Amino acid sequence: MTQSLKEKILEKFIHQTKPLSGTQLAQEFQVSRNAIWKTIQNLNQSGYQIQAKKGSGYLLESLKREIDPLQISIHTKDSFLKPVIFHKEIVSSTNDWAKEYSFKANFQNALFIADQQTEGRGRYGNSFYSQLENGLYFSLLLKADPIIHQKLDYLTMIAALTLTKTLNPYLDTSLKIKWVNDLFYQGKKIAGILTEANFNLESQELTSVIVGIGLNLSGSFPPQNEGALSFAGTLFKKSLPKDFSKNQFLSQFLHQFCYELTRETKLILKDYEALLMGKGCIINFQHGSTHYQGTLLGIDEKGHLKVRLINNQIITLSSGQVHLGSQQFYQLDN
Ligand code: BTN
């Protein structure tokens, strides 16, 4: 995709610590100095701070803090997924937005980000609370190319692992993964992942996959939702740390996701298992309509959960087969 002048200028400033003169920029991008000046005004109006320094040119003093597709695409344009980035303040569900976009002919890999959702969806038909002061709700639409086919069964785990690795450097204690798609921090669920596949109805071929992530950064949950949300928490309690940039986080997430996607499955699973919650503990789970109890042993080479039942029989469970209630994990992590 060709870059706009705005994107080219911003990219230049992002990689530059010294002031850049209007003449220099005009020559490099083969436009008039007036076009450069106008674009810089436009960038400033949209939340960047690019100051004119007497006699030496323009300097980028601060980046836009709100979610900014331009910044994220500059930082991820060399990643092999190279997604197009979209942002809206409020949508029904970013997974639905991504699905709608996937119906377009020649759609590309894309990232859909929202500050709030009115109909955020979780697994098993649950809703996902999506109106936190600082929630981050995003969906990655991936074309079904060979690498996606190859890692299809592991995409949710890859997303969980990527989120954990990307967020851990910002945190005091490590995040843990509740198999298969939930992230827990200090005993509370702070993120969930919903992966959905799109098929061509006639050929039954997989056309794309949507990996949707809801991340509770900071804020409080409404009291009327307390029952359903009693096990939900936020990463940063009530407010976002000053040095946390959602744009930087999303760019890092995308790079890490690309990296994990290309790794050998057994290495991915090894890292994933090391972060698994409740290993060696007694868990309760529901399989069909029956309730079971057993010791959580880990995951097998397919990413299925290994459990030793009370009669010593070892069984493996795929994610579609079993539901592990969150409450017991809250107790385990406390
Ligand atoms: C779960 O907890 O069961 C999964 C929750 C997934 C929520 C995310 S938020 C972004 C994307 N859009 C949705 O409607 N759901 C996912």
Side-chain angles (χ1 to χ4, degrees):
M1 233 190 354
T2 51
Q3 271 185 310
S4 66
L5 182 61
K6 192 171 168 182
E7 199 168 333
K8 284 191 224 166
I9 293 182
L10 183 62
E11 183 171 7
K12 187 87 191 162
F13 277 118
I14 283 178
H15 296 124
Q16 178 78 28
T17 48
K18 290 190 186 135
L20 290 162
S21 80
T23 316
Q24 201 182 335
L25 289 166
Q27 271 170 3
E28 176 160 351
F29 299 126
Q30 306 206 328
V31 294
S32 65
R33 280 183 55 188
N34 192 38
I36 297 290
W37 182 82
K38 274 195 179 151
T39 311
I40 290 176
Q41 296 301 309
N42 184 303
L43 282 163
N44 280 338
Q45 272 153 16
S46 61
Y48 298 92
Q49 280 194 21
I50 301 173
Q51 302 288 339
K53 300 280 160 196
K54 257 205 169 137
S56 53
Y58 299 98
L59 187 69
L60 173 67
E61 302 210 315
S62 68
L63 288 163
K64 187 170 166 173
R65 262 191 81 74
E66 302 84 65
I67 290 169
D68 179 17
L70 199 57
Q71 256 179 79
I72 304 168
S73 60
I74 287 172
H75 281 122
T76 54
K77 75 181 178 58
D78 299 327
S79 70
F80 77 86
L81 288 175
K82 280 194 218 44
V84 203
I85 321 272
F86 299 102
H87 169 243
K88 282 188 190 170
E89 276 175 22
I90 184 155
V91 294
S92 56
S93 150
T94 52
N95 270 32
D96 293 347
W97 184 13
K99 181 156 190 149
E100 205 181 297
Y101 174 87
S102 76
F103 294 140
K104 282 173 75 156
N106 297 324
F107 69 91
Q108 310 174 44
N109 290 333
L111 178 67
F112 301 84
I113 315 161
D115 300 305
Q116 293 203 345
Q117 298 181 120
T118 52
E119 286 160 56
R121 293 185 284 113
R123 283 160 62 98
Y124 315 111
N126 290 333
S127 60
F128 186 83
Y129 183 76
S130 308
Q131 287 171 12
L132 267 186
E133 287 93 303
N134 275 302
L136 194 51
Y137 312 102
F138 57 102
S139 300
L140 193 53
L141 171 70
L142 302 166
K143 291 174 73 155
D145 61 13
I147 194 157
I148 297 301
H149 275 282
Q150 196 198 347
K151 292 288 188 344
L152 192 60
D153 294 341
Y154 307 100
L155 286 177
T156 301
M157 297 176 114
I158 291 177
L161 185 61
T162 303
L163 260 187
T164 306
K165 288 190 180 176
T166 314
L167 288 167
N168 269 342
Y170 295 98
L171 306 171
D172 300 332
T173 55
S174 176
L175 283 163
K176 290 189 187 144
I177 304 173
K178 187 203 125 195
W179 185 83
V180 57
N181 68 319
D182 289 338
L183 258 64
F184 271 63
Y185 184 60
Q186 301 179 336
K188 298 261 184 172
K189 172 170 167 173
I190 57 88
I193 301 164
L194 176 68
T195 304
E196 297 179 308
N198 294 324
F199 293 91
N200 177 313
L201 279 181
E202 276 158 26
S203 65
Q204 286 301 305
E205 268 173 36
L206 179 77
T207 51
S208 62
V209 178
I210 297 167
V211 182
I213 295 172
L215 175 59
N216 304 334
L217 288 172
S218 70
S220 38
F221 297 96
Q224 66 268 31
N225 291 62
E226 239 164 40
L229 294 169
S230 54
F231 301 106
T234 62
L235 267 189
F236 302 115
K237 309 292 170 238
K238 300 263 185 284
S239 58
L240 213 55
K242 289 231 162 1
D243 60 350
F244 186 89
S245 149
K246 292 177 188 169
N247 297 313
Q248 189 184 335
F249 161 72
L250 287 165
S251 309
Q252 289 167 338
F253 173 88
L254 285 171
H255 278 289
Q256 188 72 33
F257 189 85
C258 289
Y259 168 73
E260 300 295 344
L261 209 50
T262 54
R263 286 174 84 205
E264 258 186 79
T265 304
K266 68 169 191 240
L267 298 178
I268 298 171
L269 294 177
K270 189 166 168 253
D271 284 3
Y272 182 97
E273 193 175 41
L275 297 161
L276 196 62
M277 275 183 104
K279 242 177 110 179
C281 299
I282 307 276
I283 54 157
N284 295 292
F285 61 93
Q286 197 179 329
H287 187 204
S289 53
T290 319
H291 291 268
Y292 292 88
Q293 204 173 56
T295 308
L296 196 161
L297 300 177
I299 51 171
D300 70 4
E301 70 292 344
K302 289 191 176 132
H304 294 175
L305 199 67
K306 276 195 294 187
V307 179
R308 188 192 301 114
L309 298 178
I310 293 173
N311 64 7
N312 267 336
Q313 185 197 352
I314 295 179
I315 57 164
T316 58
L317 302 158
S318 70
S319 60
Q321 283 181 314
V322 64
H323 183 57
L324 307 175
S326 283
Q327 180 168 0
Q328 53 189 326
F329 289 88
Y330 170 74
Q331 287 153 354
L332 288 179
D333 204 29
N334 269 279

